Amino acid sequence: MANVYKNAMFSLNSTDKTTVYTCPTDRTALIKTIQVTNIHSGANEVEAFTTDSSDSNAEHEIAHISLGSKNVENLAKGTIVLESADTLKVKAQTADDIAGIISVLEIFDEKSAWLNWFIYHMIWLTMRGNTLKKTLQMH
C-alpha cells in the first residue's frame, strides 16, 4: 500500500483533552505540524499530549503554550512519530476559542499487516482443518 498525506481539522468545544488524531492500524504516522489558532480576543493556554498504546496508553505532554489573541502557532517543533493506535490530544484553557489543523504522513507498516494477515489465515486454516478432520472421522 502507498503512503498517504492527510490533514485533520479540529475545533476545541470544551476544556477537556480532545482526541484530534488516532494513528490507524498497520500504519505509522509522522505528524509534521499541529497548527493552532486562537480565534478569540483573549489569550488562551493550549496543551498537546500523545498517548502510547504499546505502553498501557501512557500519556505524555508534548507542548504547552500561551497563545495570544488572533495568533497562530505550530505545537510540533519537530516531527512527531505515532504508531498504530497511538493518539494525539489537544486541550485549551477556554472552550470554543481554539481551532487547528494537523498535517500527517501515514506510512503503511508492511510487517504488521503481513503478520496480521498470517495470523488470520493460520487461524482460518486451523479451523478449516478441524472441520475437515471431524468430517473424515465421521466417514
Side-chain angles (χ1 to χ4, degrees):
M1 281 198 136
N3 298 333
V4 180
Y5 289 97
K6 290 192 166 192
N7 64 43
M9 297 180 198
F10 62 91
S11 293
L12 301 180
N13 305 18
S14 75
T15 57
D16 297 331
K17 292 177 189 170
T18 302
T19 299
V20 294
Y21 178 78
T22 301
C23 184
T25 303
D26 299 332
R27 299 261 174 191
T28 298
L30 303 179
I31 296 178
K32 304 302 275 178
T33 61
I34 308 167
Q35 181 174 305
V36 292
T37 304
N38 184 350
I39 57 176
H40 195 261
S41 58
N44 202 332
E45 295 281 323
V46 182
E47 300 169 89
F49 305 85
T50 58
T51 58
D52 185 353
S53 65
S54 64
D55 185 18
S56 302
N57 287 325
E59 190 171 82
H60 306 279
E61 185 172 357
I62 59 169
H64 189 140
I65 64 167
S66 178
L67 189 60
S69 173
K70 309 295 182 190
N71 283 329
V72 177
E73 183 71 39
N74 178 17
L75 298 178
K77 301 304 181 190
T79 302
I80 299 166
V81 178
L82 297 181
E83 298 171 341
S84 179
D86 291 351
T87 62
L88 173 68
K89 297 178 182 181
V90 181
K91 177 183 178 185
Q93 177 184 15
T94 308
D96 300 318
D97 291 354
I98 302 295
I101 184 169
I102 298 157
S103 299
V104 61
L105 171 61
E106 291 180 356
I107 300 170
F108 183 65
D109 184 356
E110 293 179 37
K111 285 189 279 186
S112 293
W114 184 87
L115 183 59
N116 288 339
W117 178 90
F118 179 77
I119 291 169
Y120 169 82
H121 283 87
M122 290 306 293
I123 292 169
W124 182 82
L125 287 171
T126 302
M127 291 172 60
R128 183 168 171 91
N130 287 339
T131 303
L132 183 59
K133 189 185 215 181
K134 287 178 184 175
T135 303
L136 291 173
Q137 288 173 349
M138 291 169 45
H139 293 290

